[in-house]
Amino acid sequence: ALAEVRHAWRETGTSPTWISISFGRFTSISEPDKEKHFIDTIVPHIEGRLGLKNPTRYGLGVSLGGANVAHLMLFQPDFFQKTFLVCPAVPSITIPTKRNDLKAYFKRTLAYKSVVRVALTLLPKEFKTHYTEHKDPLLMGQSLISAKTPPSYIQASSRDQFGFNEGNKVLA
């Protein structure tokens, strides 16, 4: 299918305006070696196969994808020209967290307790430890947002089931 699409692009002299990449559920690009693999291998491979040279890149991510785009926006500021984060999964608490901190989080954000607890249970151990200890967008944004950071649009609701609305406001 990719060969047919590529052929059609060459025939019409057009190139794709959008390419979507998914790492699957519960995968953070901040995990060891994922960012490097994405930047150095996956993207050059796709752009090379499509014959794209110096393309304009816009990052769009929803939920965990939004957190991944936020990560790239902060750690690789020259990678995207603009970013769009839709309800990015950016919690305002560290994971794991103490029971009292979690209770206060539920009260502040009106997050659904059962949904958050299930999500915390399903997250792989590597994600929990690496994401919060080394690459938390809220912590990193305090020191990494600069004039080099691409313009970003962050869309978030005033309430969501995970309570990310609080982290989204801080990131914005």
Side-chain angles (χ1 to χ4, degrees):
L2 180 59
E4 292 173 20
V5 172
R6 194 170 47 243
H7 177 73
W9 286 333
R10 287 186 181 137
E11 290 288 316
T12 61
T14 61
S15 62
T17 56
W18 196 260
I19 297 171
S20 176
I21 300 169
S22 173
F23 284 103
R25 297 165 59 183
F26 300 123
T27 302
S28 172
I29 202 163
S30 70
E31 291 175 34
D33 300 322
K34 290 236 166 85
E35 175 185 338
K36 183 172 177 31
H37 183 66
F38 180 75
I39 297 288
D40 296 345
T41 305
I42 294 173
V43 171
H45 174 76
I46 292 170
E47 290 175 351
R49 294 276 312 245
L50 297 173
L52 303 175
K53 295 180 182 178
N54 301 316
T56 300
R57 294 188 196 115
Y58 299 100
L60 168 72
V62 178
S63 193
L64 184 54
N68 285 335
V69 171
H71 172 86
L72 290 171
M73 172 187 81
L74 295 170
F75 287 90
Q76 302 288 339
D78 295 327
F79 188 72
F80 293 123
Q81 279 68 39
K82 293 182 182 176
T83 61
F84 304 87
L85 313 175
V86 181
C87 297
V90 178
S92 58
I93 56 171
T94 57
I95 305 167
T97 190
K98 296 175 184 165
R99 181 180 295 258
N100 286 341
D101 292 341
L102 196 54
K103 282 182 179 181
Y105 178 77
F106 290 140
K107 186 174 182 176
R108 283 192 320 271
T109 65
L110 303 176
Y112 301 160
K113 294 175 187 177
S114 59
V115 173
V116 172
R117 287 189 174 117
V118 167
L120 290 173
T121 302
L122 293 175
L123 285 175
K125 179 183 175 189
E126 299 79 24
F127 178 88
K128 293 180 209 176
T129 56
H130 186 76
Y131 180 79
T132 57
E133 290 175 7
H134 306 287
K135 305 289 181 158
D136 182 320
L138 291 182
L139 297 174
M140 298 296 104
Q142 294 173 24
S143 60
L144 294 177
I145 291 179
S146 69
K148 287 185 70 177
T149 305
S152 186
Y153 172 80
I154 301 174
Q155 183 279 323
S157 65
S158 59
R159 179 180 179 204
D160 69 68
Q161 60 190 1
F162 294 102
F164 293 144
N165 50 309
E166 185 175 77
N168 293 176
K169 287 178 188 174
V170 175
L171 184 62

